[in-house]
Amino acid sequence: MTEKKIAIISDIHGNSIALNEVIRDIQNRSIDTIINLGDSLYGPLDPKGTFELLKSYNIISISGNQDRIILENLNHTSESITLEYVKSQLDSEIIEWLQELPFDTIIDDICCVHASPQSDSEYLLETFNEGAICMKDFAEIEKLLRDIKQKIVVCGHSHVPNIVETDNKLIVNSGSVGLPAYDDDSPIYHKMQNFNPRANYIIINTLEDLVSIERLSIDYDFEKSARLAEKNQRDDWAKWIRTGIA
Ligand SMILES: [Fe+2]
């Protein structure tokens, strides 16, 4: 019987300092494969350094909504200071890499999506009730996964790690490597928060029909990342990175 170990990372958001520490942790755990679920480069941090790490460790990547937004704005100037900063850091190799990222993938019978199978910006597990974030009904989650044949589905996007087991599916959100909190206006104003600055990722261990999941919460030099965000005029990102609170 062979045990298989896969590391799932997501939502790095250009935080190469966090990613470096997560990769170091992964290397100590005899992992077979690393899968990155997107939102890799967008943020007031280090998009180029993040790309170099993903490339040098052969990390399999898919696209996130923020990767798509970079591409959609390549040929005109946007109003976002951060988007313009990210664009200024990209060379033709990185742009080509972004253009070739798939929307989803299947690796070792695990279905990998950024957010949901239908959309790169729809939360798969979370919904809103009078402005508060709560878990979707399992029936609603299974409806979103109705065309997925695999039992295990991994996702990111919400930046909050979670493991949900319905009758037919095991859904794992790996959390975020690089950004432990944020606020967003869509679909309504909300805050996503981990209440700590740590870098999150997960490991899926499979042994025959048994599936175990490890949730990792990695310490790193988040102060260095926060100062980089401040240097690139994003005090809000600096606070989110330092505290995990939005
Ligand atoms: Fe994200």
Side-chain angles (χ1 to χ4, degrees):
M1 284 195 288
T2 45
E3 188 180 14
K4 181 118 189 140
K5 288 179 124 189
I6 296 178
I8 311 287
I9 63 176
S10 189
D11 294 272
I12 304 160
H13 284 280
N15 194 338
S16 60
I17 301 159
L19 177 60
N20 206 26
E21 211 55 53
V22 165
I23 290 172
R24 201 203 315 241
D25 191 77
I26 289 172
Q27 285 190 308
N28 290 331
R29 295 171 186 271
S30 24
I31 302 281
D32 304 298
T33 308
I34 309 175
I35 303 172
N36 162 35
L37 303 179
D39 277 12
S40 303
L41 307 185
Y42 180 86
L45 301 168
D46 180 22
K48 197 169 169 53
T50 300
F51 168 75
E52 296 297 341
L53 281 171
L54 291 170
K55 187 175 130 185
S56 58
Y57 288 93
N58 280 324
I59 296 176
I60 300 163
S61 298
I62 63 172
S63 177
N65 55 314
Q66 302 281 1
D67 302 308
R68 172 176 53 78
I69 285 166
I70 296 170
L71 290 176
E72 287 171 354
N73 285 276
L74 275 185
N75 297 324
H76 59 267
T77 307
S78 73
E79 287 177 4
S80 163
I81 194 172
T82 302
L83 189 47
E84 292 310 302
Y85 165 75
V86 172
K87 282 162 56 183
S88 76
Q89 304 293 304
L90 306 181
D91 58 26
S92 57
E93 185 190 10
I94 304 178
I95 292 169
E96 205 173 302
W97 178 80
L98 281 170
Q99 286 168 333
E100 285 174 2
L101 290 175
F103 176 84
D104 54 16
T105 192
I106 295 164
I107 309 279
D108 288 323
D109 217 25
I110 297 173
C111 172
C112 309
V113 296
H114 176 68
S116 83
Q118 292 79 15
S119 158
D120 63 13
S121 43
E122 166 191 36
Y123 295 125
L124 177 56
L125 299 176
E126 297 88 355
T127 188
F128 302 93
N129 188 359
E130 294 177 3
I133 295 160
C134 56
M135 183 63 58
K136 277 181 183 158
D137 288 342
F138 280 12
E140 200 180 336
I141 295 169
E142 290 222 344
K143 198 172 160 198
L144 290 170
L145 299 175
R146 63 188 176 276
D147 295 330
I148 306 300
K149 294 189 175 56
Q150 294 71 31
K151 177 170 166 66
I152 305 174
V153 178
V154 293
C155 64
H157 188 54
S158 75
H159 296 208
V160 178
N162 219 331
I163 300 167
V164 170
E165 192 148 19
T166 64
D167 285 345
N168 299 304
K169 299 288 182 202
L170 175 61
I171 306 127
V172 183
N173 187 317
S174 70
S176 168
V177 168
L179 186 64
Y182 63 88
D183 65 5
D184 193 3
D185 288 326
S186 177
I188 58 169
Y189 179 78
H190 61 282
K191 294 175 175 183
M192 283 297 189
Q193 313 181 91
N194 278 279
F195 305 101
N196 67 68
R198 289 163 176 263
N200 288 299
Y201 81 100
I202 60 135
I203 298 170
I204 299 180
N205 299 277
T206 49
L207 180 62
E208 304 293 299
D209 285 342
L210 295 176
V211 181
S212 304
I213 297 154
E214 291 174 72
R215 273 171 57 165
L216 288 304
S217 172
I218 306 300
D219 202 3
Y220 77 101
D221 188 354
F222 53 84
E223 185 55 36
K224 201 169 165 187
S225 299
R227 281 200 298 269
L228 193 50
E230 283 165 348
K231 188 173 153 230
N232 290 312
Q233 303 175 62
R234 289 302 297 261
D235 290 354
D236 51 353
W237 278 62
K239 183 199 164 202
W240 301 335
I241 287 167
R242 273 194 189 101
T243 63
I245 297 171

